[in-house]
Amino acid sequence: MSGAERFDAQGGYERPGRTGTGDGAGDLPPGPSGRDDPPRVAGTGPEPPDGPPPRIPLPRASVEDTGRPLPDLDDVAPVPPELPHGVLRSLLGAWALAACSAAETAAVELHLGECGSCADEARRLREAVGLLHQPENLDLDPALRTRVLAHCLDRRPPRVPLPEWATPYDAETARLDALLQDIGDAEWHAPVRLRWFEGDAAASRRTTVAGAIAHLLSVDGLVAVALGLADPLAEEGVTGPAPRTEAYWRASHVPLARSVRAPWREQSHNLVRTVSFTGGSAGRLPVPYGDFTLPLHDAMLDRAFECWVHAEDIAEAVDYPYDPPAPRHLHRMIDLAARMLPEALAARRQAGLAAKGDTPHLVAAGEPGRTLRLEIEGDGGGEWLIPLDSPGAVGSAELEVARLALDGVEFCRLAAGHVPPQEAAAGQLGDREAIRDVLFAAAGLSRM
């Protein structure tokens, strides 16, 4: 290779040309021999063997194709620059907003481990940023379905409308079904504890998410039988919520799992569809619960209430956010419990659990008697006058002896057996024994 040749930075070889003479001849590159060879005419002879290599560089080989070890990631990590304390402190705001470069972030975080005052300031800035950017809840508003349905029904009423007393059951089963759709197969075996009160003592039963759905399926079957629909326990011949549930659990030869969702869902849809076609006149149809009987319109409210209660049990077991029912549905559930309290008080007296008062509990049906004013606060709240002396007595404001105030959701959880009566957050005024009886009677409304 001629000494006049040099390696170009782009990967090719070139020879320096002569200094131009002004006529352009000196700007031509010299020939292969170093002299000014005449231009070669194509096709007149062989190619010169010592022509200059091409100036276009060849593709560079990847390090993965060379067999050499890959560079250590630590070698490519940003090197924190050495910045004075004042500059680092001025970068704390940008660091809290994640607006620093990689090198600046490394420098700030290295400094925070050495400077206590800057670390405190950085913590305060990060907390302020967290307040400005609240995490968004990805769960849909539980009232969204109700609002969408209400809007659609306003625009086009259904040909077969659902009775108003059945809408809470329709809404609560739909909400629970949405929860079940979101959980995984393993979560169907998550432990769930069913809780209620027997007498004045708390009782419970351990099961799983699938077992809780089987419990709802079994008890909803009481309403299905009253409507002439198929009963999931037709061959067992048992009545009452607890015996039916135990029978269903015993009949399951394999552990209950996701497969129980389909029959529960189909049964709830059949109940809603059937009461729609029967119309409002079917609301008085009796539904036997074993020890007592409810009219259909109250039985559907009872099933909506229990669906919500056990949906909360399931949501707690799988760590799922779950809100109370819509206010107008919650009001109906509270009203049902308030109307059942006089019977529950009478049952306590028959069992010898009621407080011994000076006034005899003898009031003719339809006559006013001693009364407790129940004030339910919050969404779905209101006031109810609860007769204390007889289920047939009439509540009277003139004969009011006590006043009890409770939050609506707290009262429902008390009636579900999830809150002990002595621990209920209640405002009390007047006859303490009457208030105690009502609190324990409310807890006595619960059952498995």
Side-chain angles (χ1 to χ4, degrees):
M1 181 183 296
S2 172
E5 296 178 358
R6 62 182 177 85
F7 184 79
D8 184 79
Q10 299 297 326
Y13 290 90
E14 67 175 4
R15 296 186 180 90
R18 297 196 315 266
T19 303
T21 58
D23 57 359
D27 297 331
L28 296 173
S33 61
R35 302 183 303 272
D36 292 339
D37 297 331
R40 184 180 60 85
V41 179
T44 59
E47 294 287 340
D50 296 328
R55 293 173 55 89
I56 301 176
L58 295 174
R60 298 170 62 182
S62 173
V63 67
E64 289 89 348
D65 300 332
T66 62
R68 299 176 183 175
L70 297 176
D72 192 352
L73 292 179
D74 295 337
D75 297 338
V76 298
V79 179
E82 295 183 3
L83 301 175
H85 179 272
V87 174
L88 291 169
R89 192 172 186 85
S90 67
L91 289 173
L92 293 179
W95 173 83
L97 292 168
C100 289
S101 65
E104 289 172 340
T105 299
V108 169
E109 293 177 351
L110 181 63
H111 178 67
L112 294 181
E114 302 171 351
C115 180
S117 62
C118 286
D120 292 339
E121 180 67 15
R123 177 180 54 80
R124 287 192 293 268
L125 289 171
R126 271 289 170 89
E127 290 175 353
V129 170
L131 294 175
L132 293 174
H133 300 281
Q134 289 288 345
E136 296 182 2
N137 185 5
L138 299 181
D139 295 294
L140 295 178
D141 181 358
L144 177 62
R145 179 181 184 273
T146 302
R147 292 199 302 269
V148 171
L149 286 177
H151 177 72
C152 295
L153 294 177
D154 288 341
R155 294 175 60 89
R156 184 177 180 180
R159 294 182 180 179
V160 184
L162 181 67
E164 186 64 26
W165 42 263
T167 55
Y169 178 81
D170 182 33
E172 292 310 308
T173 53
R175 291 207 304 146
L176 175 55
D177 190 45
L179 184 160
L180 299 177
Q181 186 177 5
D182 284 351
I183 66 176
D185 291 340
E187 291 175 309
W188 281 86
H189 304 286
V192 173
R193 185 167 292 279
L194 306 180
R195 293 168 287 170
W196 68 96
F197 265 74
E198 291 180 355
D200 287 351
S204 65
R205 181 71 155 79
R206 184 181 175 88
T207 183
T208 63
V209 170
I213 298 301
H215 170 57
L216 291 175
L217 172 67
S218 303
V219 186
D220 283 356
L222 294 170
V223 182
V225 171
L227 290 171
L229 300 176
D231 180 11
L233 292 170
E235 299 180 359
E236 299 293 333
V238 292
T239 60
R244 287 176 62 87
T245 300
E246 295 287 354
Y248 192 98
W249 287 344
R250 288 194 304 268
S252 301
H253 301 294
V254 294
L256 293 167
R258 181 184 289 275
S259 59
V260 76
R261 179 193 172 201
W264 170 80
R265 190 170 185 263
E266 182 181 3
Q267 179 177 255
S268 64
H269 288 180
N270 287 338
L271 290 177
V272 171
R273 182 166 50 251
T274 303
V275 298
S276 297
F277 281 101
T278 55
S281 60
R284 297 184 180 88
L285 184 70
V287 179
Y289 273 70
D291 296 338
F292 61 96
T293 300
L294 289 176
L296 179 61
H297 59 80
D298 283 345
M300 293 295 286
L301 274 176
D302 172 76
R303 303 315 306 140
F305 175 77
E306 189 166 358
C307 182
W308 163 44
V309 168
H310 292 317
E312 282 199 335
D313 293 336
I314 293 171
E316 182 180 357
V318 300
D319 195 20
Y320 190 98
Y322 209 78
D323 291 328
R328 69 176 185 276
H329 296 164
L330 185 63
H331 178 82
R332 286 178 172 270
M333 297 176 190
I334 294 171
D335 178 70
L336 174 62
R339 288 189 283 112
M340 295 177 69
L341 278 176
E343 290 286 352
L345 287 168
R348 285 181 57 78
R349 285 194 294 271
Q350 293 175 1
L353 300 174
K356 303 298 188 294
D358 296 332
T359 304
H361 303 290
L362 298 173
V363 177
E367 295 295 326
R370 292 186 313 133
T371 300
L372 177 139
R373 183 182 296 272
L374 178 63
E375 298 178 354
I376 302 300
E377 302 169 347
D379 293 338
E383 290 189 358
W384 287 263
L385 296 177
I386 310 298
L388 300 173
D389 295 329
S390 173
V394 177
S396 171
E398 290 75 16
L399 297 179
E400 181 180 315
V401 298
R403 183 170 296 187
L404 178 62
L406 282 157
D407 174 74
V409 175
E410 181 83 353
F411 175 74
C412 287
R413 288 174 179 158
L414 172 67
H418 284 43
V419 175
Q422 59 272 25
E423 297 179 11
Q428 306 177 15
L429 180 64
D431 190 333
R432 298 292 180 181
E433 295 297 335
I435 292 171
R436 180 183 182 279
D437 278 346
V438 170
L439 287 174
F440 275 87
L445 295 173
S446 62
R447 60 182 182 275
M448 178 177 167

